Amino acid sequence: KGRIAGNDCQLADRFGPRIVAHPQTALAEVMDGAHLFVNTTSLGMDGEAAVEIDFSPLASGAVVTDIVYVPLVTPILKQAEQQGFATVDGLGMLLHQAAPGFEKWFGTRPGVDDTLRALVIADMGRH
C-alpha cells in the first residue's frame, strides 16, 4: 500500500509522497487488505519480547516476513503462523546480501541454496 507504520517520518521524507508514515496505533488500518507484512525492527531478536500483533486485517493468503534471523522463528512469525498466515524468516535475505561481499573478499560468489542455508542453520545452533 506504500505506507509505513512508525513514529519516524525519515523514510517518508527520503522517498517522497508515495510513502506515508503512520503511528503504530494505526497499524490495523495500515494492514487492512495488505498482502505482505515485513517486520524491519529488532523486535523478537535473541529472545527479546515482541508486541502482540493481530494479523487479521491482512488479506487472505498474505505473507508475513521478518528480517530477524536469530531466532529463525521469531515471536512475530509465531504469531502470524498461529493466525494462519504463511511466513518467511530473515535468513534468506541475509544470505543473499552476504553473497556479493563474500565474492569481493574471496573471489567466488557462493550459491545461495538449501545446502548453504542448512550449513548456516547448523552453525547457528552451535552458538
Side-chain angles (χ1 to χ4, degrees), residues 102-109:
F102 187 94
E103 181 179 28
K104 287 191 182 298
W105 278 92
F106 301 105
T108 184
R109 181 176 283 234

Side-chain angles (χ1 to χ4, degrees), residues 67 69 90-103 109-110 112:
I67 66 165
Y69 53 90
L91 186 56
M93 185 178 74
L94 171 72
L95 294 175
H96 284 281
Q97 286 179 333
F102 187 94
E103 181 179 28
R109 181 176 283 234
V112 178

Side-chain angles (χ1 to χ4, degrees), residues 11-126:
L11 283 176
D13 291 343
R14 183 172 184 171
F15 291 104
R18 291 187 51 155
I19 302 296
V20 179
H22 297 274
Q24 189 167 347
T25 55
L27 187 58
E29 177 188 345
V30 173
M31 290 170 55
D32 187 35
H35 293 270
L36 178 65
F37 180 99
V38 182
N39 175 43
T40 60
T41 72
S42 61
L43 291 173
M45 184 182 290
D46 289 327
E48 181 181 315
V51 297
E52 292 292 319
I53 299 174
D54 175 11
F55 290 103
S56 65
L58 293 175
S60 176
V63 175
V64 176
T65 186
D66 199 330
I67 66 165
V68 173
Y69 53 90
V70 176
L72 277 179
V73 180
T74 64
I76 288 173
L77 294 181
K78 283 181 190 173
Q79 290 175 45
E81 286 175 354
Q82 290 169 350
Q83 295 176 44
F85 290 95
T87 61
V88 177
D89 63 56
L91 186 56
M93 185 178 74
L94 171 72
L95 294 175
H96 284 281
Q97 286 179 333
F102 187 94
E103 181 179 28
K104 287 191 182 298
W105 278 92
F106 301 105
T108 184
R109 181 176 283 234
V112 178
D113 56 17
D114 290 340
T115 302
L116 178 61
R117 181 178 170 84
L119 285 169
V120 171
I121 290 172
D123 188 60
M124 287 167 50
R126 288 188 281 234

